[in-house]
Amino acid sequence: MKVSFWLIPAEEDREVLQEMIDHLAETHDAPFFAPHLTLYSGEYADDADLSDVIRSSAQGIRAVTLAIDGLQHTEEYQKSLFIQFRSSKILAQIATALQRQASKRSKFTLDFHLSLLYGSLSEAQKQDIITKLDLTKQQIVFNEIWAIAISDQVETTEDVESWKVLCSVKMR
């Protein structure tokens, strides 16, 4: 089973980010999704206890605060428009622990970003959105990890809508 592990913002930050994502999705006919930073994505046994995988990977870690580097965009569907964060040794350690427990490791590369929009927009449209977005925060607090069943490719709204939350674990 293909699983992605998402680091989820704490409630206050999650609400603000979800409003941004929902507004952008509605405005640009794009998919809706939960705000998240993907820690790792790979293959896990169908009978794997993903809650245990998360707990053992993030053992002893409470909330994680990430400093924002800025808003950026790419041509990639899943990184059309995103918040880039400074790297974090703690998150790299969690990602490595998640990878070690995979039944089949992937070529996933940890990238400290949180997407705000999935889609195909022009460079000018993306730049216009960036200039209009009100991102006054300097950092985001994350305190939960979700395991998500995903498809092999993510190129359409239907692909995004097929994702399913398998479990969630608060970091304690």
Side-chain angles (χ1 to χ4, degrees):
M1 149 176 66
K2 180 117 185 219
V3 178
S4 280
F5 292 93
W6 291 358
L7 186 66
I8 302 296
E11 190 172 343
E12 183 180 320
D13 288 335
R14 181 175 19 194
E15 288 174 5
V16 170
L17 292 166
Q18 190 67 65
E19 285 178 19
M20 269 188 213
I21 291 167
D22 291 352
H23 174 74
L24 290 168
E26 204 170 281
T27 305
H28 299 283
D29 193 29
F32 295 83
F33 54 90
H36 65 278
L37 183 154
T38 303
L39 291 168
Y40 181 71
S41 193
E43 296 286 332
Y44 288 79
D46 289 341
D47 63 349
D49 185 334
L50 298 173
S51 294
D52 280 349
V53 169
I54 293 169
R55 282 188 195 93
S56 65
S57 298
Q59 188 172 16
I61 299 171
R62 291 181 174 242
V64 176
T65 302
L66 295 179
I68 295 174
D69 261 351
L71 291 169
Q72 297 180 19
H73 62 85
T74 69
E75 295 300 313
E76 289 179 54
Y77 180 78
Q78 286 181 268
K79 286 183 73 178
S80 296
L81 183 68
F82 59 96
I83 298 170
Q84 187 68 50
F85 296 99
R86 293 192 192 116
S87 62
S88 162
K89 288 181 183 179
I90 292 170
L91 291 187
Q93 290 170 352
I94 294 172
T96 298
L98 291 167
Q99 181 185 38
R100 279 193 209 116
Q101 296 181 67
S103 59
K104 181 180 174 188
R105 293 186 183 176
S106 70
K107 295 180 180 179
F108 179 85
T109 302
L110 179 60
D111 181 1
F112 299 93
H113 79 280
L114 185 147
S115 290
L116 297 173
L117 178 68
Y118 293 170
S120 300
L121 301 175
S122 71
E123 173 90 13
Q125 287 174 303
K126 292 174 192 176
Q127 286 291 24
D128 185 53
I129 294 168
I130 286 174
T131 60
K132 290 178 181 172
L133 269 182
D134 182 23
L135 186 64
T136 56
K137 289 188 154 285
Q138 299 299 308
Q139 56 190 23
I140 303 288
V141 177
F142 295 84
N143 69 350
E144 195 169 349
I145 299 175
W146 293 359
I148 308 292
I150 62 166
S151 57
D152 286 330
Q153 65 180 17
V154 180
E155 298 173 357
T156 67
T157 296
E158 291 76 24
D159 294 337
V160 174
E161 290 174 346
S162 74
W163 294 341
K164 290 183 179 46
V165 179
L166 302 171
C167 69
S168 63
V169 175
K170 286 264 191 197
M171 297 166 68
R172 302 192 190 279

